[in-house]
Amino acid sequence: MKPMEVTATAHPNIALVKYWGKRDAALKLPAMPSLAVTLDGFVTRTTLRWGARKDRVFLDGVEAAPGAAKRVLDLLDRFDPGRPPCEVESRNDFPTAAGLASSSSAFAALALAAATASGRGLSLEALSVLARTGSGSACRSLHGGFTLWRMGVRPDGSDCHAIPVEAHPDLDLRVLVAVVDEGPKALSSTEGMHRTALSSPCYPAFVESGEPLVRCAAEAIGKGDLLGLLTFMERSTRLMLSAMWCSEPAVRYLKPRSLALIDEIEAARGEGLACGWTLDAGPNVKALCDAPSAEALASRIRRHGVRVHVLGVGGPARVEVPLARP
Ligand code: 2P0
């Protein structure tokens, strides 16, 4: 068989209504629906050699530890159980495993590269299902813009994938990523959400909030109602953080500076900027705002001594077309 090399890119996505807990850990089926925005500016670029000498995985230039490599190779097996040996090289242009959704773009790019290299003509929905089995939130990064991850009802997860959410043309959002700490987190999302689901008395309240908050947030996006969207995003975030904190032992990713930034963003809103905050599985704070507020908000956040990335809404995952040789 002739070796084939494919390169795919994907952007990470940030949840506006959160996923934190599974109803089926092996298939990565969530216990709640979620809604996210894909970010431009940050990108994962993955090259897959389908038909190499042996299986090898490199993440950001370094050979992956056996656990991480297995997660990658297991996904390739799902595309083709009889596949040839493969080499994977994946690079992020932003910090990995720091609560910046790096696994969402990594597994979306890998799934797209694998679909192309294996020659399987898959619908975007089927691709989203397969990306999900690599990392849950990856199913939302195949699309650009806003996406809704449906829970689905089938036990095999074949209807549990992301779908696009149409945004009002006037909704011109910016996402500010304030980097409080870019080191890898001590507790993985997979373990943190498992512990939360098993031990937190606040977890049921968070799970119940998912469906109505997704519906309200999707409506707000369709109407271009930014203030409504910010309200639903902050509510979902607070419910997730409460569920995390009430776990045994507590799941806590926040740092004092994260709280100072929340204060700053709320103060800016009090003074008239259209903005709100969210956090994920890490101490880094993300602020959502309209385009005209972005620079003023970024400079307020920088006063706290943190680096800020000002990002827009990103496009879908893509296969890079190789340049024709002369
Ligand atoms: C989300 N996060 O909705 C939530 C909010 C973090 C906080 O999805 O176990 O890497 O691979 O499905 O997708 C991070 O968890 O976890 C995440 P797995 P994933 O974006």
Side-chain angles (χ1 to χ4, degrees), residues 58-129:
F58 297 88
L59 303 177
D60 288 328
V62 177
E63 184 134 26
K70 182 176 180 320
R71 233 175 126 186
V72 167
L73 298 168
D74 283 353
L75 184 64
L76 299 182
D77 291 342
R78 273 179 229 119
F79 279 84
D80 180 358
R83 68 172 173 81
C86 290
E87 214 171 278
V88 176
E89 265 184 67
S90 187
R91 277 183 193 276
N92 294 330
D93 69 354
F94 60 100
T96 300
L100 296 175
S102 53
S103 69
S104 66
S105 47
F107 282 95
L110 181 67
L112 184 57
T116 312
S118 64
R120 288 187 60 183
L122 294 170
S123 68
L124 207 48
E125 287 176 2
L127 200 50
S128 176
V129 165

Side-chain angles (χ1 to χ4, degrees), residues 15 18-20 22 28 71 103 135-137 140 189-190 193 240 280-281:
K18 306 292 178 179
Y19 149 59
W20 193 253
K22 300 181 177 75
K28 296 199 193 291
R71 233 175 126 186
S103 69
S135 181
S137 53
R140 301 183 309 224
S189 297
T190 306
M193 67 176 78
M240 179 186 73
D280 293 288

Side-chain angles (χ1 to χ4, degrees), residues 32-308:
M32 68 291 295
S34 56
L35 191 148
V37 61
T38 304
L39 303 178
D40 73 2
F42 288 173
V43 72
T44 298
R45 192 165 181 272
T46 299
T47 299
L48 169 61
R49 272 178 285 281
W50 189 267
R53 251 183 348 105
K54 58 175 187 160
D55 281 344
R56 290 188 88 178
V57 178
F58 297 88
L59 303 177
D60 288 328
V62 177
E63 184 134 26
K70 182 176 180 320
R71 233 175 126 186
V72 167
L73 298 168
D74 283 353
L75 184 64
L76 299 182
D77 291 342
R78 273 179 229 119
F79 279 84
D80 180 358
R83 68 172 173 81
C86 290
E87 214 171 278
V88 176
E89 265 184 67
S90 187
R91 277 183 193 276
N92 294 330
D93 69 354
F94 60 100
T96 300
L100 296 175
S102 53
S103 69
S104 66
S105 47
F107 282 95
L110 181 67
L112 184 57
T116 312
S118 64
R120 288 187 60 183
L122 294 170
S123 68
L124 207 48
E125 287 176 2
L127 200 50
S128 176
V129 165
L130 280 162
R132 187 204 73 227
T133 65
S135 181
S137 53
C139 73
R140 301 183 309 224
S141 267
L142 288 157
H143 299 281
F146 297 88
T147 56
L148 191 166
W149 178 7
R150 306 152 46 129
M151 283 181 67
V153 291
R154 294 188 204 136
D156 68 355
S158 57
D159 58 350
C160 180
H161 55 77
I163 53 172
V165 173
E166 183 123 3
H168 193 282
D170 293 344
L171 190 63
D172 191 13
L173 266 189
R174 294 293 177 273
V175 180
L176 275 50
V177 177
V179 184
V180 169
D181 184 348
E182 62 179 30
K185 55 194 172 230
L187 180 68
S188 75
S189 297
T190 306
E191 287 171 50
M193 67 176 78
H194 181 61
R195 187 192 298 170
T196 305
L198 279 185
S199 66
S200 174
C202 301
Y203 180 67
F206 167 65
V207 173
E208 270 175 40
S209 72
E211 204 276 323
L213 282 175
V214 159
R215 196 163 9 91
C216 292
E219 247 177 63
I221 290 165
K223 286 194 296 198
D225 172 13
L226 176 60
L227 292 181
L229 180 61
L230 298 175
T231 304
F232 305 129
M233 174 183 76
E234 289 189 5
R235 193 172 299 159
S236 175
T237 308
R238 286 185 284 111
L239 279 154
M240 179 186 73
L241 295 177
S242 306
M244 288 175 169
W245 270 66
C246 298
S247 306
E248 286 300 339
V251 173
R252 185 172 69 82
Y253 296 107
L254 284 181
K255 299 280 184 228
R257 203 173 267 180
S258 318
L259 286 170
L261 294 180
I262 292 172
D263 273 349
E264 186 67 54
I265 295 162
E266 291 188 352
R269 183 161 68 220
E271 292 167 29
L273 293 190
C275 58
W277 59 271
T278 190
L279 283 137
D280 293 288
N284 302 315
V285 178
K286 294 99 187 182
L288 234 74
C289 63
D290 59 4
S293 303
E295 266 319 309
L297 187 61
S299 60
R300 287 180 77 135
I301 292 174
R302 281 189 198 108
R303 274 187 238 138
H304 292 257
V306 295
R307 212 150 35 85
V308 183

